[in-house]
Amino acid sequence: ALSAEVLFTSASLSPSISTATMAKLPSAAAVLGAALAITRPYHASAFAPSRPSAQVLAPPRTRAGSAGRYSYSHTQLFSSDDSNSNNNNDESTSLSEQARKAVLEAEKMEAELTLAKIDKLEGVVKKSAGHNDKERSGLREEIEALAKKIDPALIVAESSFSSSSLPTSPAMSAAIASSPPAGLSAEQLEAACIYFMNLPITMRSALASAVGYDDQASLTGLEVNDVVSKLYERRETLSTTRLREYYKDTLQAPLSLEQGVGEMMDELKNILENPDQVRLESAVDTQIPRQARQEGKCPTEADVSTFFRDICGRKTYLAAEKPIRAGEVWVIRGRSQKNDAASLIEAIDKALEEKAPDWSERNQYCYIMDPSLEEGEEDIFGDPVILITNKDMTPMAPSTLTIGSSVTALSGSFVFCLGTYGSNKLITDRLQEASNMANYDLSWFNELLIPLIGAFFAIQASHELGHLFIAWRDKMKVTPPTILPSLGLPYVGTLTRMKTAPKDYSTLFDFGFAGPVTGMGVAFAFLVWGLQLTVTMDQEAAQYLPSVPVGFLKLSSLGGTVVDQILGGGAGIMLQEDPTTMISLHPFAIAGFTAMIINALDLIPIGSTDGARLSQAVLGRVGQTVVGGFAYIILLGALVFLDQRDVFLSYCLVNSIVQRELEVPCKNEVDKAEVGRAAAAIAAYFVAALVLVPL
């Protein structure tokens, strides 16, 4: 329900409205304001101390060029007897009524979504009471902005309100010719009736329902008089809760066929009239990940206005138009007043520190290429724009899901390690004997497992430490790693998300490069070390080695070649064996070989994997979208033509769910990674291809 406070003539019941202010209101308008609690943007109990007393309820003003939206012909609405003589206009009146219903129904749907957002924000305010005054102040401003979005004319300056601002009509005066209720003059009642008819239809319906009228759309002038009079008489019994319930019921009323068609036509009209707005919102949905535009975390209009008014200018970024809201982010188009992007970022940071030091605690600006393209524009990368998002980009995934994924992957890894000893007859016989004798002392078997499990842990830890080092160096916040399960492998990788925007594409590149390259280097070292230990191990100890099939070693051209070179002398005899033949290897060799494949998979440039971070840093968002499309085509080919489908199938399934979107926007996305980093990315992709292409 919409947050509200009831305005009664008693100032003690409305602490945000002064007695002097109430004295200036016509009695009927004040009474109607009491019933119109549903139009107030927030609770007096939560926000009255910070609410300016000069703001009061006033009649909505008609918007230029759209008089049918908020004001209507009172002669037609209240003089039903006169309309009967105009039968020739019935058809045009019917079409006009249908159009009006379509527009108002669209408003109804928009109001319902806005109400839900306001209710959610109020819950956050109540929970944060007494903790963070700055945050609560920002939430109050956002709630007020949302309330104004429902009907911007409901809150105006006290000085602009007067009884003369109310529209008048002879029909209205005739409709209320009967004596007004005790305590009201005829002029006050007329003003209140006109005020009532200028409200949005959803609010009028709720108020009419509150006094017993079910069909508000067919109210005559006398019935409007009766509704307003009853609202006045029942002002002491119409509680805020009841009014909210009536309003909620009105919003949830089912749509008729005509209303549904009208709503679609209104939406189509909006698309045709605002193609740039629609194109921008669609592009933002495609190019900016959801964790950077989470629902309910949109920067407030006040903060965006501060940036637009105080930061943008001839010394930083000269805006060409007002900020445009695209979902949960804002876009400011214009032109940089600096020679390069780095200088612009430095100038904006300095201006924010001087003029709005607390702005960056809540918001994040990014200098990126325009995600939308104008008609006829040849540059697919667009022009630079300012993107304003919430500073907190923590992923939305619930902790139960991330913990469940990690537990599943760890369980799969443990099963994989056990499976490498499953073909060793000596070990299986000892385990069977211990089971038959009820001997549960398996410390000897644990000693065999620990080197394999420990090697997997050390290799993956090196991968994560590479990420953490870059995050620490560049002061980025990241999430704890989530282990992703797999088929055919112990796990398919780990997921480490950014919670704050990287400084620039070079920082993003370093973060994506450090993890898999470090992990692959350590994995290769474990592979070579383990193969050397396998060759030099005494015969008795070799009897307890784990083993993998030849088919598994053929998963990697690079890894399989190294195994054949050290164990088989490079003649290829070992890899020519039957794929089911088991090859005994030291635990370090198995862990190193497997981890090389896992780290190489992480370098495939799709979604927001480390490989995609490299590609995005070098080519930008549009370039990475193209590269990612080609990568998916290659993966589909691997699923069709390769025998080792389980590895690539699990990789595609997992990453299409958890890493299908691009990375969060960087603070500076105009300057791409330099040539040296681009060359390093090509080298990393080449090594990853050698690892992943089977023999």
Side-chain angles (χ1 to χ4, degrees):
L2 178 60
S3 308
E5 63 180 359
V6 181
L7 297 179
F8 293 106
T9 54
S10 171
S12 63
L13 296 181
S14 182
S16 66
I17 304 298
S18 65
T19 305
T21 299
M22 295 302 299
K24 295 181 181 180
L25 291 171
S27 303
V31 171
L32 187 57
L36 292 179
I38 55 177
T39 67
R40 294 295 289 168
Y42 35 69
H43 290 297
S45 58
F47 302 114
S50 63
R51 170 75 171 170
S53 62
Q55 291 182 338
V56 298
L57 284 176
R61 295 168 292 184
T62 302
R63 294 183 180 177
S66 59
R69 184 161 182 152
Y70 285 117
S71 64
Y72 311 98
S73 171
H74 304 299
T75 302
Q76 179 182 358
L77 288 173
F78 290 97
S79 300
S80 57
D81 294 337
D82 295 339
S83 64
N84 293 333
S85 62
N86 298 323
N87 295 329
N88 294 333
N89 297 328
D90 288 346
E91 184 176 354
S92 61
T93 301
S94 176
L95 293 175
S96 176
E97 183 66 19
Q98 291 182 21
R100 184 175 67 84
K101 286 184 178 180
V103 172
L104 293 176
E105 191 59 37
E107 287 184 348
K108 178 182 111 173
M109 300 298 291
E110 181 181 2
E112 186 175 13
L113 294 175
T114 305
L115 293 177
K117 289 184 179 180
I118 291 176
D119 205 37
K120 182 178 180 181
L121 289 174
E122 279 195 327
V124 177
V125 171
K126 291 180 180 179
K127 291 181 181 179
S128 63
H131 295 286
N132 192 329
D133 292 337
K134 291 184 178 179
E135 182 179 354
R136 296 184 76 235
S137 177
L139 290 172
R140 284 196 294 267
E141 293 175 352
E142 186 168 358
I143 291 173
E144 181 175 354
L146 290 172
K148 291 181 180 179
K149 182 178 179 182
I150 297 177
D151 188 354
L154 287 176
I155 303 177
V156 299
E158 178 182 16
S159 60
S160 67
F161 183 85
S162 67
S163 60
S164 62
S165 65
L166 294 169
T168 60
S169 70
M172 178 67 74
S173 300
I176 59 173
S178 59
S179 59
L184 290 181
S185 66
E187 291 77 11
Q188 291 171 335
L189 180 58
E190 179 180 2
C193 290
I194 296 174
Y195 186 106
F196 176 87
M197 290 309 303
N198 271 320
L199 292 171
I201 190 170
T202 50
M203 296 180 182
R204 300 204 312 268
S205 297
L207 293 173
S209 299
V211 294
Y213 283 87
D214 296 329
D215 187 9
Q216 190 277 336
S218 62
L219 287 180
T220 65
L222 289 175
E223 289 172 332
V224 171
N225 173 27
D226 187 50
V227 169
V228 174
S229 298
K230 288 182 177 179
L231 288 173
Y232 174 71
E233 294 169 353
R234 302 179 187 181
R235 64 188 183 279
E236 301 294 341
T237 59
L238 286 175
S239 65
T240 303
T241 303
R242 288 185 61 190
L243 289 171
R244 291 175 185 167
E245 291 175 353
Y246 284 123
Y247 193 50
K248 185 176 181 180
D249 292 340
T250 302
L251 290 176
Q252 294 178 347
L255 295 174
S256 66
L257 178 60
E258 292 182 355
Q259 291 171 329
V261 174
E263 181 182 352
M264 289 187 291
M265 292 300 294
D266 189 60
E267 182 177 355
L268 178 60
K269 180 181 178 182
N270 178 65
I271 294 175
L272 295 176
E273 292 180 351
N274 305 283
D276 183 64
Q277 173 76 17
V278 175
R279 186 188 303 113
L280 179 61
E281 291 184 2
S282 176
V284 166
D285 290 343
T286 303
Q287 298 293 324
I288 306 300
R290 286 177 296 175
Q291 70 180 94
R293 49 182 178 86
Q294 299 180 36
E295 184 176 357
K297 287 189 175 183
C298 182
T300 64
E301 290 186 12
D303 283 340
V304 176
S305 178
T306 297
F307 189 95
F308 178 75
R309 182 185 64 251
D310 299 338
I311 307 303
C312 293
R314 296 186 180 276
K315 294 184 179 181
T316 53
Y317 183 83
L318 190 59
E321 57 187 7
K322 291 183 178 180
I324 303 173
R325 179 166 179 173
E328 299 298 320
V329 301
W330 293 82
V331 175
I332 303 177
R333 291 194 174 106
R335 185 173 297 277
S336 172
Q337 302 301 295
K338 299 297 181 180
N339 295 328
D340 56 78
S343 299
L344 174 63
I345 297 299
E346 183 179 354
I348 292 178
D349 286 343
K350 183 178 180 180
L352 283 172
E353 185 177 354
E354 293 176 354
K355 300 179 180 180
D358 60 340
W359 190 92
S360 297
E361 296 177 3
R362 303 181 300 274
N363 309 288
Q364 175 67 58
Y365 77 89
C366 301
Y367 188 46
I368 70 172
M369 307 308 292
D370 194 341
S372 64
L373 298 177
E374 301 291 340
E375 293 184 7
E377 187 175 6
E378 296 180 358
D379 184 5
I380 64 171
F381 296 101
D383 295 322
V385 298
I386 296 291
L387 178 77
I388 299 180
T389 71
N390 191 286
K391 186 177 183 64
D392 184 13
M393 299 183 186
T394 304
M396 299 174 291
S399 57
T400 53
L401 182 61
T402 57
I403 294 174
S405 174
S406 296
V407 170
T408 302
L410 290 174
S411 301
S413 300
F414 184 72
V415 171
F416 177 88
C417 294
L418 288 177
T420 59
Y421 290 94
S423 60
N424 189 312
K425 192 173 184 306
L426 178 61
I427 293 177
T428 55
D429 288 346
R430 286 193 61 178
L431 291 174
Q432 183 63 42
E433 181 181 355
S435 176
N436 294 336
M437 299 178 61
N439 181 8
Y440 301 109
D441 182 12
L442 301 178
S443 57
W444 62 274
F445 184 61
N446 293 336
E447 293 177 358
L448 298 177
L449 282 176
I450 288 175
L452 183 57
I453 296 175
F456 275 122
F457 175 81
I459 296 170
Q460 194 58 45
S462 67
H463 179 119
E464 298 306 321
L465 286 175
H467 284 321
L468 292 177
F469 173 76
I470 300 300
W472 170 79
R473 185 195 70 182
D474 296 318
K475 299 179 181 179
M476 294 188 301
K477 294 181 180 180
V478 297
T479 64
T482 300
I483 309 176
L484 305 176
S486 173
L487 298 174
L489 294 174
Y491 54 94
V492 77
T494 55
L495 177 63
T496 304
R497 290 286 184 86
M498 298 181 181
K499 297 166 63 175
T500 56
K503 178 182 178 182
D504 50 31
Y505 270 146
S506 294
T507 301
L508 177 64
F509 181 95
D510 293 347
F511 184 85
F513 186 82
V517 171
T518 302
M520 190 175 295
V522 175
F524 184 80
F526 266 94
L527 172 61
V528 175
W529 185 17
L531 292 174
Q532 293 293 339
L533 292 176
T534 302
V535 173
T536 59
M537 184 174 291
D538 61 81
Q539 185 175 1
E540 182 177 355
Q543 295 178 356
Y544 289 92
L545 286 177
S547 57
V548 292
V550 171
F552 182 76
L553 297 176
K554 289 184 176 181
L555 284 175
S556 170
S557 294
L558 178 60
T561 300
V562 172
V563 172
D564 183 72
Q565 184 69 33
I566 296 178
L567 296 186
I573 299 177
M574 179 177 298
L575 297 180
Q576 292 176 4
E577 297 286 340
D578 184 271
T580 60
T581 302
M582 305 301 294
I583 303 295
S584 296
L585 297 173
H586 191 276
F588 288 174
I590 294 177
F593 181 91
T594 307
M596 282 180 61
I597 296 177
I598 294 173
N599 281 274
L601 287 172
D602 195 33
L603 283 170
I604 297 178
I606 62 173
S608 57
T609 62
D610 286 327
R613 288 165 175 158
L614 305 186
S615 176
Q616 183 176 326
V618 174
L619 302 176
R621 292 185 176 274
V622 176
Q624 162 52 26
T625 302
V626 176
V627 171
F630 282 113
Y632 269 116
I633 293 175
I634 295 174
L635 286 173
L636 290 176
L639 292 176
V640 174
F641 298 106
L642 296 182
D643 294 332
Q644 299 83 3
R645 296 184 181 90
D646 50 354
V647 173
F648 292 104
L649 177 61
S650 60
Y651 176 83
C652 290
L653 290 176
V654 171
N655 285 281
S656 64
I657 296 174
V658 301
Q659 295 192 107
R660 65 178 181 272
E661 294 185 312
L662 298 176
E663 190 53 87
V664 299
C666 301
K667 201 172 185 179
N668 175 8
E669 290 197 359
V670 174
D671 294 336
K672 305 294 190 298
E674 61 272 16
V675 176
R677 285 185 169 88
I682 294 174
Y685 290 142
F686 179 74
V687 174
L690 290 178
V691 173
L692 294 177
V693 173
L695 280 172

